[in-house]
Amino acid sequence: MPDKVAPAERQQVIVLHALKKNISEEKNEDSGVKLKKELGLLDGVAIIVGIIVGAGIFVSPKGVLTNSGSVGQALIVWIFSGLLSLVGALCYAELGTMIPKSGGDYAYISDAFGSLPAFLYLWVALFILVPTGNAITALTFAQYILQPAWPGCKPPYAAVRLLAAVVTCLLTAINCYNVKWATRVQDIFTGTKIFALIIIMVAGFWWLCTGHTDNFHQPMAGTNTQPGYIALAIYSGLFSYSGWNYLNFVTEELKDPYKNLPRAICISLPLVTVIYVLANVAYFVVLTQDEILASYAVAVTFGDKLLGVMSWIMPFFVACSTFGALNGAIFASSRLFFVGARNGHLPTAIALINVQNLTPMPSLIFLCIITLALLIIEDVYVLINYVSFVEALFTTLSVSGLLWLRYKRPDLHRPIKVSIALPVIFFIICTFLVILPCYVSPWEVGVGIIIILSGIPVYSIFIYWKNKPMWLVSASHDFNMFCAKLFLCVQEEKND
């Protein structure tokens, strides 16, 4: 960045820093402008549960059933996926307390393997993993809100995309304005979706008690034993559990993270696993295998068959669930890009903090813009086929980083240290999940690898290349100053 700053720009910088100082003094805070530790244990649990329990369990459990081939194996996959997610989350608890930085996988890969692998994760997360998940969640919300206006058919896609864009902007605005508002939204909607799943479980248990056991007479009939399809079934299960690592993205904002991070994980994952398994049992009791595979949204089909005049509550609860999941994903994932920019892997503007609200406003808005851009794509759902492999690959890399740091830096302070068997088991299973689908879905795997490798030239030009031309440095400086003035933001203050 050039040393000389124009007088007008210098005056803007002085004004911003003066405002920052005044706000810190008004709040009687010595720490200055930085992200505050405002998340308690309940907020942590709400973030994990709220993000995991999105649309998946309501809309499409049939992915597990399709690749499993039988009801019995599908339930085994749901249990196994929950246990595997718990093992992974416990490994991440050690990583999160050993490397107490926000950013999750990005921070862990960076500390273990260096700058380039961390940037490649950030690159894929920035343009594919995070905004694709957010876009699909927003579209699902819009479809279920608009469905009553178009009974018997799908709502027009233009209307769905418009509403998805509106809700994305609304939740971004809430997250920009106040962290406490965002966490209250998360707490409320997490409670709502748990209530909806309790309704499904109670209704299914009542149906079972009335003697409807036909669907469980031969639970293992038709089981698919091919390893590649078992891996794909587990992929589908893990997709519905995805989000268990999102609390690690906001470690720096968690009160007493050494205690609350592992506690939130140990409460959330068993709770979600029990709820998921019981909800699937309820689905399988009420609906036949063919009905589940033919259903556009399993929870809605379940409600139509069992809840009668109250069946309307299922689309409503699906909408509430996706709304809460989108809010949690926006809150957590924006911190990933904030940390990446703070480390010099993204434009400095994304690492700025609003001096009034103490939120990473530019990062939130940047994420919102990319999500809105993906909503323009005619079929954004096709991207799911490419992200599952990439996500599994980087999760494997993060856990291998834990094993590497155990060997390379054995004296590193570890407030939580899990048995070495857990990361070894998790690493072996993740390696299995990464390798086996290569012969079942080679096209998706190939595209995923190309997406990852496309980040290498970007890294070489914008990060590795130190002696950049002055015009590029000046343009970067001008962009950062523009964002600072537009969003009333400054860089995070650090305690020496």
Side-chain angles (χ1 to χ4, degrees), residues 135-152:
I136 291 171
T137 304
L139 288 170
T140 305
F141 167 83
Q143 285 172 345
Y144 281 88
I145 285 292
L146 295 175
Q147 188 62 58
W150 281 273

Side-chain angles (χ1 to χ4, degrees), residues 406-420:
R406 283 277 189 102
Y407 168 75
K408 188 71 175 178
R409 302 172 66 183
D411 297 329
L412 195 64
H413 178 56
R414 292 173 172 84
I416 296 172
K417 188 173 183 179
V418 300
S419 168
I420 190 66

